[in-house]
Amino acid sequence: MKTRFFTKIILITFCLTLAVAFLPATPVQAAGDAPETIDTRLENLLMREKIALNNQANRLAYSEQVAAKTDTFIQRMKDRGLDTSELEKAFADFKEGVRVAREYHDRADGILAEPAGFDENGKITNRKLALETVRSAGNALRRAHLELTEATINLRIAVREFIEEQLQQENKP
Amino acid sequence: MKRLVLLLLFSITLLMAACNRGDHLNQPWETPAQSLITPSAVKSAELANASEDLNDDTAAQDLLELIDQLIQANQAGDPFNDLP
């Protein structure tokens, strides 16, 4: 009787723990924290945009390496006497995409270099201006992100198609 | 014996619960000085299998790997979908 009771207790606890384990977790807030104000949110967004700007600059620099390598690859394929016209077209589109992404990135860089509505420590001085700063910098970063992502994916598709096409040509009897 | 098995299951579940909590403590932002060569956790199946069906031309493979790394870095980038 005692054993059954103990088993039931263990089973119920097990089921409860299992349910808790798979519940979506909510962000943890330290006890005693005041509710997040609009100013704090804007200050956090500014910090987030500065981090994203820095990482995006790294990716843009990396895209230059990709461009250099693609250029070398196209030359090698040309030297082999292969038709690289489609690949060259895709490469031109990639370079254009990177150029546009860099334009948006530079715009965000300009806004975040001296963010209007914030002091030098990233604290709000004018909420309305700060909101506009965060919005415009975020939009520019977003556009740059989309341009670079799309350009890179399209280049990959083109390179892959080129290689597969060459394979098919080689395998033809 | 039955108790032992139940206790074991209970301990495993507690561990799973602890791991699940820990995952969500990470910031939803990008981290500074993000490495471009670290594979992103977000990698589509298309990308994972893409290189396997290609030939062993090292120049082509190198180029595809380089492009893949940039794609992965982009995927890890902040898309700012939640701007105010």
Side-chain angles (χ1 to χ4, degrees):
Chain A
M1 188 66 185
K2 205 175 176 183
T3 312
R4 276 192 183 174
F5 178 71
F6 181 76
T7 311
K8 273 182 189 169
I9 292 288
I10 292 278
L11 266 174
I12 289 166
T13 319
F14 172 73
C15 291
L16 281 173
T17 319
L18 200 69
V20 171
F22 289 101
L23 271 177
T26 50
V28 179
Q29 194 176 11
D33 273 4
E36 201 178 32
T37 62
I38 295 172
D39 287 0
T40 313
R41 282 179 66 190
L42 287 172
E43 285 163 6
N44 285 342
L45 266 169
L46 179 76
M47 207 193 304
R48 177 178 155 192
E49 286 178 352
K50 283 183 173 177
I51 293 168
L53 181 82
N54 190 43
N55 289 337
Q56 197 173 74
N58 289 342
R59 293 198 294 278
L60 281 166
Y62 197 68
S63 71
E64 301 297 333
Q65 284 184 49
V66 170
K69 194 115 184 171
T70 309
D71 199 20
T72 310
F73 179 75
I74 291 173
Q75 279 308 318
R76 281 182 67 166
M77 296 302 110
K78 263 184 176 175
D79 291 346
R80 283 193 201 172
L82 302 174
D83 178 14
T84 57
S85 53
E86 285 299 314
L87 196 53
E88 283 178 76
K89 213 183 289 173
F91 183 42
D93 289 344
F94 172 74
K95 285 194 287 188
E96 177 60 14
V98 172
R99 190 193 63 75
V100 175
R102 191 171 284 283
E103 263 185 25
Y104 283 118
H105 175 84
D106 290 344
R107 195 180 297 175
D109 195 12
I111 296 165
L112 294 174
E114 283 180 27
F118 293 91
D119 67 11
E120 63 273 17
N121 297 316
K123 296 289 172 195
I124 300 271
T125 54
N126 181 324
R127 191 182 294 159
K128 200 177 172 187
L129 272 178
L131 180 63
E132 189 48 41
T133 297
V134 162
R135 267 194 189 142
S136 49
N139 275 325
L141 283 169
R142 182 174 153 76
R143 295 294 295 269
H145 174 79
L146 293 174
E147 286 288 343
L148 185 59
T149 303
E150 193 183 348
T152 313
I153 289 172
N154 288 341
L155 179 68
R156 203 219 188 271
I157 291 169
V159 172
R160 194 182 172 198
E161 278 176 0
F162 173 80
I163 295 167
E164 281 177 348
E165 200 177 295
Q166 296 314 316
L167 274 175
Q168 279 176 2
Q169 296 285 337
E170 282 173 21
N171 292 335
K172 268 185 186 171
Chain B
M1 188 63 189
K2 203 173 176 181
R3 274 192 210 180
L4 203 69
V5 172
L6 281 169
L7 271 171
L8 193 69
L9 279 170
F10 178 60
S11 310
I12 291 168
T13 318
L14 267 181
L15 267 173
M16 280 168 64
C19 291
N20 191 30
R21 300 283 111 179
D23 283 349
H24 294 275
L25 293 178
N26 295 326
Q27 276 192 329
W29 302 356
E30 289 185 64
T31 51
Q34 192 179 44
S35 169
L36 291 176
I37 52 169
T38 305
S40 157
V42 187
K43 193 177 182 187
S44 68
E46 202 271 333
L47 286 177
N49 301 322
S51 301
E52 290 170 12
D53 56 349
L54 298 173
N55 67 355
D56 56 356
D57 185 326
T58 52
Q61 289 300 326
D62 286 353
L63 178 59
L64 283 171
E65 273 175 31
L66 203 68
I67 298 173
D68 282 351
Q69 283 172 10
L70 183 56
I71 290 173
Q72 285 165 32
N74 285 335
Q75 283 177 334
D78 196 336
F80 287 100
N81 289 327
D82 58 341
L83 281 175

